[in-house]
Amino acid sequence: MNAPSPLLSLPGAVAAEAPDEGVAAHYGDLFREQRALDAGEGFVDLSHRGVVSVTGQDRLSWLHLLLTQHVEALAPGHATEALVLSAHGHIEHALYLVDDGETTWAHVEPGTQKDLVAYLESMKFFYRVDIADRTDDRAVVHLPAGSITEAPAGVPVRETAHGRDLFLPRAALADFAASAGPPAGVLAYEALRVAAHRPRLGLETDHRTIPHEVGWIGTAVHLEKGCYRGQETVARVQNLGRPPRRLVFLHLDGSEVKLPPHGAAVRLATEDEGRKLGFVTTSVRHHELGPIALALVKRNVPADAALLADETAAAQETVVEP
């Protein structure tokens, strides 16, 4: 794990728990922080995330062979997502990418960068590429959509509809924070992620998750490119239309004090001690929607079925069509 963020010394900062150790969960007011991000104000310290860079003239054509996304002609400054799959099509890594014209930058889940670098190194062969774990010298900071805060000159920026991810020099993190507006913790960031139905590796996935189950088809998987590990599974499921599980969005009963934890069983509300149909992946409290969650359930669970998440009543919305 990285050294704890210097921003944990800011007033009100409360340290986050796994898998987000090392940064602040919140700075004293979770809902205020969410509302600020929704309004395009402030920033989120994501300096605990892994950072990997790839340089060399073959970097994009080489990555194109390994990743699920079409990156061979990735334009400078164009953000994308990509996955690394196992030979059986299970998700192993999720990369959030941008190329600056000379270097491809990616941030990944905390602690996964070493395994990712080891895999990439094993696939170099004769290609003219250099791979580096840049986590010690680069820190990811998220600016919400609509933010007027400018990135420092020369800092790689990954811009999407959800905001901008900056790959700051780690030594500049504290100075940047002092001028970037009010800080928001990862709990606020996660609440907006869940509300937007966006999956996260290690929470919405387990060792057997395939891209179709969590809605990464289209955003992180390009269906018209070929030749990457696990492609056969992607093509087979795409043609047959039968992923074994699907991601759902849950509106949780607001009268419950405790949120169902990650891994809590999801069952039909109409069955006493019913069989387990899936599990809660992430549950959060949203400033407008109240308690909400994402869950991974069996494909054949009726889309209109009332569910129980742990012991909490839950109404579902479709994320991945059954």
Side-chain angles (χ1 to χ4, degrees):
M1 188 180 75
N2 302 329
S5 170
L7 304 192
L8 282 171
S9 65
L10 292 178
V14 174
E17 298 178 351
D20 293 319
E21 302 103 321
V23 296
H26 61 83
Y27 296 88
D29 192 336
L30 173 62
F31 290 157
R32 178 190 59 77
E33 294 166 28
Q34 288 184 36
R35 288 191 290 268
L37 292 179
D38 261 347
E41 300 169 357
F43 69 95
V44 184
D45 177 11
L46 299 179
S47 61
H48 62 313
R49 291 185 64 80
V51 177
V52 174
S53 69
V54 182
T55 56
Q57 64 187 86
D58 293 338
R59 67 188 183 282
L60 292 177
S61 59
W62 174 73
L63 285 169
H64 186 78
L65 298 174
L66 303 177
L67 304 180
T68 57
Q69 187 58 272
H70 197 298
V71 298
E72 189 171 30
L74 187 65
H78 183 81
T80 192
E81 300 176 13
L83 308 175
V84 172
L85 305 182
S86 73
H88 298 291
H90 301 138
I91 301 168
E92 293 188 344
H93 294 281
L95 293 77
Y96 299 84
L97 293 157
V98 70
D99 191 89
D100 64 10
E102 296 182 352
T103 302
T104 302
W105 296 88
H107 65 81
V108 298
E109 287 299 319
T112 65
Q113 66 271 14
K114 293 187 184 303
D115 286 343
L116 174 61
V117 167
Y119 168 68
L120 295 177
E121 287 285 355
S122 75
M123 302 300 290
K124 280 179 68 170
F125 302 117
F126 55 84
Y127 290 94
R128 294 164 292 184
V129 295
D130 289 296
I131 306 127
D133 179 353
R134 302 296 300 275
T135 310
D136 287 343
D137 68 286
R138 292 282 172 165
V140 179
V141 170
H142 175 77
L143 297 175
S147 170
I148 61 172
T149 299
E150 295 186 2
V155 169
V157 177
R158 180 181 179 275
E159 185 168 4
T160 71
H162 304 290
R164 288 175 287 156
D165 298 333
L166 279 54
F167 293 83
L168 284 174
R170 190 167 288 273
L173 177 58
D175 286 343
F176 178 82
S179 62
V186 289
L187 287 183
Y189 181 82
E190 284 290 279
L192 301 187
R193 176 184 71 81
V194 171
H197 304 171
R198 291 184 286 135
R200 181 177 174 185
L201 183 77
L203 293 178
E204 278 64 56
T205 69
D206 58 20
H207 67 284
R208 59 192 180 96
T209 305
I210 61 175
H212 292 80
E213 294 179 321
V214 293
W216 257 324
I217 296 296
T219 61
V221 178
H222 195 287
L223 292 173
E224 295 181 7
K225 66 157 287 192
C227 298
Y228 58 87
R229 190 174 68 175
Q231 182 204 8
E232 295 84 358
T233 298
V234 171
R236 183 171 64 252
V237 175
Q238 181 68 18
N239 292 330
L240 295 177
R242 292 182 177 274
R245 301 176 297 180
R246 60 186 182 88
L247 191 67
V248 297
F249 178 76
L250 301 178
H251 291 274
L252 302 172
D253 180 0
S255 65
E256 295 289 341
V257 174
K258 184 179 178 182
L259 291 172
H262 173 77
V266 174
R267 297 180 169 87
L268 288 177
T270 54
E271 295 182 5
D272 293 334
E273 300 297 325
R275 58 193 171 92
K276 181 177 178 180
L277 301 175
F279 64 94
V280 173
T281 59
T282 308
S283 58
V284 295
R285 298 189 188 278
H286 190 272
H287 69 104
E288 290 182 339
L289 300 175
I292 55 176
L294 293 171
L296 201 58
V297 301
K298 293 182 178 179
R299 176 181 54 83
N300 58 2
V301 173
D304 59 350
L307 303 174
L308 283 177
D310 204 1
E311 302 302 323
T312 302
Q316 60 170 310
E317 289 184 12
T318 298
V319 177
V320 174
E321 293 289 340

mmCIF file of all heavy atoms in Angstrom, residues 298-315:
data_model
loop_
_atom_site.group_PDB
_atom_site.id
_atom_site.type_symbol
_atom_site.label_atom_id
_atom_site.label_comp_id
_atom_site.label_asym_id
_atom_site.label_seq_id
_atom_site.Cartn_x
_atom_site.Cartn_y
_atom_site.Cartn_z
ATOM 1 N N LYS A 298 -28.424 -13.511 -10.499
ATOM 2 C CA LYS A 298 -28.573 -14.464 -11.593
ATOM 3 C C LYS A 298 -29.383 -13.844 -12.723
ATOM 4 O O LYS A 298 -30.314 -13.069 -12.491
ATOM 5 C CB LYS A 298 -29.253 -15.737 -11.091
ATOM 6 C CG LYS A 298 -28.391 -16.533 -10.115
ATOM 7 C CD LYS A 298 -29.081 -17.822 -9.678
ATOM 8 C CE LYS A 298 -28.188 -18.629 -8.744
ATOM 9 N NZ LYS A 298 -28.847 -19.875 -8.297
ATOM 10 N N ARG A 299 -29.031 -14.206 -13.938
ATOM 11 C CA ARG A 299 -29.642 -13.610 -15.120
ATOM 12 C C ARG A 299 -31.153 -13.781 -15.142
ATOM 13 O O ARG A 299 -31.893 -12.892 -15.579
ATOM 14 C CB ARG A 299 -29.034 -14.229 -16.385
ATOM 15 C CG ARG A 299 -29.660 -13.747 -17.688
ATOM 16 C CD ARG A 299 -29.011 -14.420 -18.882
ATOM 17 N NE ARG A 299 -29.031 -15.865 -18.790
ATOM 18 C CZ ARG A 299 -30.066 -16.616 -19.143
ATOM 19 N NH1 ARG A 299 -31.173 -16.048 -19.597
ATOM 20 N NH2 ARG A 299 -30.011 -17.931 -19.040
ATOM 21 N N ASN A 300 -31.663 -14.905 -14.650
ATOM 22 C CA ASN A 300 -33.095 -15.192 -14.767
ATOM 23 C C ASN A 300 -33.935 -14.606 -13.635
ATOM 24 O O ASN A 300 -35.134 -14.880 -13.546
ATOM 25 C CB ASN A 300 -33.334 -16.702 -14.872
ATOM 26 C CG ASN A 300 -32.784 -17.482 -13.674
ATOM 27 O OD1 ASN A 300 -32.249 -16.892 -12.746
ATOM 28 N ND2 ASN A 300 -32.923 -18.799 -13.721
ATOM 29 N N VAL A 301 -33.345 -13.799 -12.737
ATOM 30 C CA VAL A 301 -34.151 -13.120 -11.720
ATOM 31 C C VAL A 301 -35.077 -12.140 -12.427
ATOM 32 O O VAL A 301 -34.618 -11.302 -13.212
ATOM 33 C CB VAL A 301 -33.262 -12.365 -10.718
ATOM 34 C CG1 VAL A 301 -34.095 -11.522 -9.770
ATOM 35 C CG2 VAL A 301 -32.399 -13.344 -9.935
ATOM 36 N N PRO A 302 -36.398 -12.225 -12.211
ATOM 37 C CA PRO A 302 -37.321 -11.309 -12.909
ATOM 38 C C PRO A 302 -36.943 -9.851 -12.666
ATOM 39 O O PRO A 302 -36.620 -9.453 -11.539
ATOM 40 C CB PRO A 302 -38.686 -11.643 -12.298
ATOM 41 C CG PRO A 302 -38.546 -13.059 -11.823
ATOM 42 C CD PRO A 302 -37.135 -13.190 -11.359
ATOM 43 N N ALA A 303 -36.995 -9.057 -13.724
ATOM 44 C CA ALA A 303 -36.569 -7.662 -13.642
ATOM 45 C C ALA A 303 -37.465 -6.828 -12.741
ATOM 46 O O ALA A 303 -37.051 -5.755 -12.276
ATOM 47 C CB ALA A 303 -36.511 -7.053 -15.038
ATOM 48 N N ASP A 304 -38.691 -7.297 -12.487
ATOM 49 C CA ASP A 304 -39.610 -6.536 -11.632
ATOM 50 C C ASP A 304 -39.767 -7.155 -10.245
ATOM 51 O O ASP A 304 -40.620 -6.735 -9.464
ATOM 52 C CB ASP A 304 -40.979 -6.434 -12.298
ATOM 53 C CG ASP A 304 -41.602 -7.798 -12.587
ATOM 54 O OD1 ASP A 304 -40.902 -8.828 -12.441
ATOM 55 O OD2 ASP A 304 -42.778 -7.834 -12.978
ATOM 56 N N ALA A 305 -38.935 -8.131 -9.914
ATOM 57 C CA ALA A 305 -39.076 -8.824 -8.632
ATOM 58 C C ALA A 305 -38.624 -7.944 -7.479
ATOM 59 O O ALA A 305 -37.603 -7.250 -7.560
ATOM 60 C CB ALA A 305 -38.270 -10.117 -8.644
ATOM 61 N N ALA A 306 -39.391 -7.955 -6.374
ATOM 62 C CA ALA A 306 -38.965 -7.305 -5.138
ATOM 63 C C ALA A 306 -37.920 -8.190 -4.472
ATOM 64 O O ALA A 306 -38.072 -9.412 -4.397
ATOM 65 C CB ALA A 306 -40.149 -7.089 -4.219
ATOM 66 N N LEU A 307 -36.857 -7.567 -3.991
ATOM 67 C CA LEU A 307 -35.732 -8.319 -3.456
ATOM 68 C C LEU A 307 -35.447 -7.947 -2.007
ATOM 69 O O LEU A 307 -35.920 -6.928 -1.505
ATOM 70 C CB LEU A 307 -34.480 -8.049 -4.307
ATOM 71 C CG LEU A 307 -34.578 -8.366 -5.801
ATOM 72 C CD1 LEU A 307 -33.312 -7.912 -6.518
ATOM 73 C CD2 LEU A 307 -34.826 -9.857 -6.035
ATOM 74 N N LEU A 308 -34.681 -8.794 -1.363
ATOM 75 C CA LEU A 308 -34.096 -8.496 -0.060
ATOM 76 C C LEU A 308 -32.587 -8.482 -0.228
ATOM 77 O O LEU A 308 -31.992 -9.438 -0.747
ATOM 78 C CB LEU A 308 -34.479 -9.558 0.972
ATOM 79 C CG LEU A 308 -35.886 -9.515 1.562
ATOM 80 C CD1 LEU A 308 -36.085 -10.700 2.494
ATOM 81 C CD2 LEU A 308 -36.123 -8.202 2.308
ATOM 82 N N ALA A 309 -31.956 -7.385 0.198
ATOM 83 C CA ALA A 309 -30.503 -7.297 0.221
ATOM 84 C C ALA A 309 -30.084 -7.444 1.666
ATOM 85 O O ALA A 309 -30.280 -6.529 2.471
ATOM 86 C CB ALA A 309 -30.042 -5.962 -0.352
ATOM 87 N N ASP A 310 -29.533 -8.613 2.005
ATOM 88 C CA ASP A 310 -29.353 -8.979 3.401
ATOM 89 C C ASP A 310 -30.747 -9.030 4.020
ATOM 90 O O ASP A 310 -31.571 -9.844 3.614
ATOM 91 C CB ASP A 310 -28.425 -7.991 4.094
ATOM 92 C CG ASP A 310 -27.737 -8.597 5.319
ATOM 93 O OD1 ASP A 310 -27.977 -9.780 5.600
ATOM 94 O OD2 ASP A 310 -26.978 -7.894 5.982
ATOM 95 N N GLU A 311 -31.085 -8.158 4.945
ATOM 96 C CA GLU A 311 -32.444 -8.124 5.506
ATOM 97 C C GLU A 311 -33.191 -6.860 5.089
ATOM 98 O O GLU A 311 -34.266 -6.572 5.624
ATOM 99 C CB GLU A 311 -32.368 -8.191 7.040
ATOM 100 C CG GLU A 311 -31.663 -9.422 7.574
ATOM 101 C CD GLU A 311 -32.339 -10.710 7.105
ATOM 102 O OE1 GLU A 311 -33.588 -10.738 7.020
ATOM 103 O OE2 GLU A 311 -31.618 -11.675 6.820
ATOM 104 N N THR A 312 -32.672 -6.121 4.120
ATOM 105 C CA THR A 312 -33.247 -4.848 3.712
ATOM 106 C C THR A 312 -34.054 -4.994 2.434
ATOM 107 O O THR A 312 -33.559 -5.540 1.438
ATOM 108 C CB THR A 312 -32.129 -3.801 3.498
ATOM 109 O OG1 THR A 312 -31.374 -3.657 4.702
ATOM 110 C CG2 THR A 312 -32.711 -2.453 3.094
ATOM 111 N N ALA A 313 -35.297 -4.510 2.452
ATOM 112 C CA ALA A 313 -36.121 -4.542 1.249
ATOM 113 C C ALA A 313 -35.506 -3.681 0.159
ATOM 114 O O ALA A 313 -34.975 -2.602 0.430
ATOM 115 C CB ALA A 313 -37.537 -4.051 1.586
ATOM 116 N N ALA A 314 -35.588 -4.175 -1.073
ATOM 117 C CA ALA A 314 -34.943 -3.475 -2.175
ATOM 118 C C ALA A 314 -35.768 -3.593 -3.451
ATOM 119 O O ALA A 314 -36.234 -4.681 -3.803
ATOM 120 C CB ALA A 314 -33.555 -4.059 -2.418
ATOM 121 N N ALA A 315 -35.968 -2.463 -4.120
ATOM 122 C CA ALA A 315 -36.592 -2.430 -5.438
ATOM 123 C C ALA A 315 -35.495 -2.274 -6.472
ATOM 124 O O ALA A 315 -34.581 -1.459 -6.292
ATOM 125 C CB ALA A 315 -37.584 -1.273 -5.533
#
